[in-house]
Amino acid sequence: MKKICSRNLGLLAVLALAACGGGGDGDPTPPPPATVTLSGVVIDGPIRGATVCLDLNGDGACGSGEPASAPTDAAGNYTIAGVTEEQAASGAAFVAMVPADAIDADNPGVPIGTAYTMRAPAGKGTLISPITTMIQAGVARGLTLAVAEQAVAGQLQVGVANLYRNYSAEPNAEGSSALAVAATGFIVPALKSGSPIDVAAPVTTPTPTYAVADFMYVDATNWYLRYMAADRVTGSDGLYPYYDRRIQYVGGEPVPAETIYAIAAQPIRLTAQGWTKCDGTTEHRTSLGSPYSGIFCGDRSYNTRTEEDISGKSIAEVVAVIRAGANDVTNTLRGNIVPAQFGTAVFPAGSVLTRRSMQVHEYAVRYLEADGFLDMTVAQLIVQRPIPASPTGTNTVSMGTLRDANGNIVKRPRVAFGPGGLAQYYLCDLVEGISVNCAPSSTGTYTLTTLHGAAVITFTNQPTENDPYATSDRILVERDGRTWYGNRPKPDKTAETAARLNHSAFTAVAALLGIVAPAP
C-alpha cells in the first residue's frame, strides 16, 4: 500500500469540509450580516456631485471602509447601500463631501468653486444642510443633540421644529427665508473659508463687557465713543440683552444724549417693546456663537464673529491694522490716532479684538412723523379706498416715489384696495407735489396683520420692489387711531465687517490718548 502524504490528507480534509457545508452538523456557516439602505438629500440649494458617508471614525471626512454613496443627483438625492445594522446604530454622523466642481441648483451650470464639507447628526441624515452642519458642530463640542438644536435655534432665531426643514424645496414655509439667508450668506462661506462654526451653550454667569463700535478722536477734550455693552447671560430664546452706549465731548463738555442719538431725526420703529426711538436705554438682543442672530432696534441681522486674544501684543501694530480697514473692514478707530504715538506699549491681559460681519435680513417697520398720516384706522382706510373708476391722488394711497438714474422723482406709485386682498397699483405724474394723470400699472396683494400690538398693512409686488433706486417699500401702520405712511427698508445684499476692541483693550488705548474709558 502506498503512503498518502500529509499534504494530501490536508487537501482531503478541506474538500470533505466543503462537501459538508464547512462544518459539522452543529456548526453551520453564520449568515452574512443584515444590511440597510440609507438615503436623503444634500442642500444649500440642491447639491449635485456630493459624496455622502457614515463617519464611522469621526474624522469629519469620507475615508476608505466607510459606507458611502455615489455622487448626488441633480436634486441632491443620495443613497448609501449595504450599511450593516451595527454601522447604522453606531451613532456615526453623516458627512457630505462637496467638491469644487459640484453644482448648486440655485446657480445651475456654475461650479461652486471651493470644496467644503457639510454634516448631519447621527440618525438625521435624511437632510444634510448648512443648518444640520451647525447642529453637528454643537454635538461635536460635547453638547447633547437636544441642547445643540436649542442652541442653533437661538443663534438663528428659528423654531427647533424648522431646523430640519428643506428650505430650498419649501421657500414659503415658516422659517425658510431666514434659514436660506443664514445658510447661503453666512454658513456656507464660513465652511468654504475654513472659518470656525461656533455653537454656544447657554450662559448663566454674568460677564460684563463691551465692544467698541466707533471711536472718533480729535484730542482729549473732543471725542466720540460708541460701544455695545452686555453681560452675555442668555435667556430662554438663546439671546442676551445689550445696549448701545454713546459718549461725546466737545470742548471738554458732554453732549446731551438726545443730540448724540439724533432723537429728533430718528424714525419711530416698531419693536418688541412697542413704538420707540432708540437710545442708550433701549434693549437690543443678540446671541452667542457664530454665525449668530442680532436684533437691533427691531432690525434683524445675521452675523459672524471671530475673537483674537491680543494680550501682550503691540498696541501700535493692532491699531494700525484696524485703521487700515483692509479687506473692507470698517475702521472703528478714527480721527487723530497715529499708531506711532503708542510707542512700545502692549495690550493688557484680557484684551480681545473681535472681527464681526453683519447683514440685515429684515428691517423693522418704521415711520417718520414728517411723512404724515391719514386720519383714520387702517381698517377704515381699506374700506374708504376701494378700486376707483378714475384714480386720482385723493381716492388712492401714496406708495412712495420712483426715481430715474439721476435720482430725480419721476412717478408717484399709488394703491387702492380690492376684494380678496387685491392691491391695484397706479403710476401718477407729479406736478408741484400733486399726483396727476394716474393710470393702472400692476397688481399685487395686501395683508392686514397685527405686529407687536400694532395694526399693519403689508403689500406684495409693489412698484418699488424692483426699482434699484428705491431703498424701501411702503407699509401702512396704525398708531393712536391714525394711519401713518410707514416703510420697511429693503434687506441688505452685502455684509458689513468691523474690527472691535473689548473694554480691556480700549481702556489701554484710551489711557494713552489722555481720556478715561467707561467701565463695563
Side-chain angles (χ1 to χ4, degrees), residues 360-416:
V360 178
H361 64 87
E362 180 183 307
Y363 280 96
V365 173
R366 63 198 69 197
Y367 72 90
L368 279 169
E369 293 167 296
D371 287 342
F373 60 87
L374 295 165
D375 200 10
M376 63 187 76
T377 67
V378 292
Q380 291 170 334
L381 178 66
I382 291 171
V383 173
Q384 295 188 27
R385 295 294 187 274
I387 296 175
S390 300
T392 67
T394 57
N395 61 16
T396 56
V397 181
S398 170
M399 294 292 286
T401 56
L402 296 176
R403 299 176 181 270
D404 61 20
N406 297 317
N408 301 311
I409 296 175
V410 293
K411 291 287 183 180
R412 170 83 72 187
R414 303 186 72 87
V415 69

Side-chain angles (χ1 to χ4, degrees), residues 237-479:
D237 59 356
L239 304 178
Y240 63 85
Y242 73 98
Y243 298 88
D244 176 5
R245 309 292 196 201
R246 305 185 191 187
I247 303 171
Q248 186 174 7
Y249 280 85
V250 175
E253 296 296 323
V255 175
E258 284 200 359
T259 301
I260 299 176
Y261 290 95
I263 296 296
Q266 270 197 53
I268 302 176
R269 307 179 188 221
L270 183 56
T271 71
Q273 291 76 44
W275 294 104
T276 187
K277 290 187 175 183
C278 295
D279 60 16
T281 66
T282 305
E283 180 183 287
H284 313 289
R285 297 184 70 79
T286 191
S287 66
L288 299 168
S290 182
Y292 67 99
S293 291
I295 304 174
F296 181 85
C297 215
D299 296 344
R300 293 179 174 270
S301 65
Y302 282 130
N303 314 262
T304 58
R305 65 161 69 91
T306 57
E307 296 182 348
E308 178 186 357
D309 184 354
I310 55 174
S311 305
K313 291 192 174 184
S314 164
I315 293 180
E317 291 179 5
V318 173
V319 168
V321 169
I322 295 174
R323 286 182 58 81
N327 299 320
D328 297 323
V329 176
T330 300
N331 172 22
T332 53
L333 301 176
R334 301 181 295 126
N336 298 331
I337 301 176
V338 180
Q341 71 192 104
F342 299 103
T344 60
V346 297
F347 284 105
S351 296
V352 174
L353 175 65
T354 299
R355 290 176 174 84
R356 187 213 64 165
S357 183
M358 177 196 75
Q359 180 178 342
V360 178
H361 64 87
E362 180 183 307
Y363 280 96
V365 173
R366 63 198 69 197
Y367 72 90
L368 279 169
E369 293 167 296
D371 287 342
F373 60 87
L374 295 165
D375 200 10
M376 63 187 76
T377 67
V378 292
Q380 291 170 334
L381 178 66
I382 291 171
V383 173
Q384 295 188 27
R385 295 294 187 274
I387 296 175
S390 300
T392 67
T394 57
N395 61 16
T396 56
V397 181
S398 170
M399 294 292 286
T401 56
L402 296 176
R403 299 176 181 270
D404 61 20
N406 297 317
N408 301 311
I409 296 175
V410 293
K411 291 287 183 180
R412 170 83 72 187
R414 303 186 72 87
V415 69
F417 303 94
L422 172 65
Q424 174 64 60
Y425 300 117
Y426 307 88
L427 291 181
C428 308
D429 294 327
L430 276 177
V431 177
E432 297 182 353
I434 304 299
S435 297
V436 297
N437 303 323
C438 298
S441 61
S442 58
T443 61
T445 62
Y446 75 87
T447 304
L448 173 58
T449 58
T450 299
L451 179 64
H452 302 315
V456 174
I457 301 178
T458 57
F459 299 90
T460 65
N461 198 38
Q462 54 185 292
T464 54
E465 286 184 19
N466 298 317
D467 178 8
Y469 300 100
T471 59
S472 63
D473 294 317
R474 170 68 75 219
I475 289 180
L476 300 172
V477 300
E478 181 180 321
R479 188 180 185 191

Side-chain angles (χ1 to χ4, degrees), residues 42-179:
V42 180
I43 67 164
D44 178 15
I47 302 292
R48 186 183 75 193
T51 298
V52 179
C53 69
L54 269 184
D55 189 15
L56 298 177
N57 62 7
D59 68 351
C62 293
S64 61
E66 293 179 321
S69 71
T72 51
D73 64 18
N77 296 310
Y78 75 87
T79 299
I80 307 176
V83 181
T84 67
E85 292 182 343
E86 181 181 5
Q87 291 171 333
S90 66
F94 290 82
V95 169
M97 305 287 289
V98 184
D101 60 356
I103 302 293
D104 185 328
D106 287 346
N107 296 288
V110 180
I112 64 164
T114 302
Y116 64 98
T117 301
M118 293 192 287
R119 298 173 175 83
K124 298 291 187 178
T126 53
L127 177 74
I128 303 175
S129 73
I131 312 303
T132 66
T133 303
M134 280 191 69
I135 298 170
Q136 178 57 26
V139 172
R141 68 170 292 178
L143 304 180
T144 66
L145 178 60
V147 172
E149 289 172 340
Q150 192 65 50
V152 172
Q155 285 180 214
L156 301 183
Q157 284 299 285
V158 297
V160 171
N162 295 328
L163 293 176
Y164 299 99
R165 182 183 299 285
N166 188 332
Y167 54 83
S168 178
E170 304 175 84
N172 297 319
E174 179 184 359
S176 284
S177 176
L179 290 172

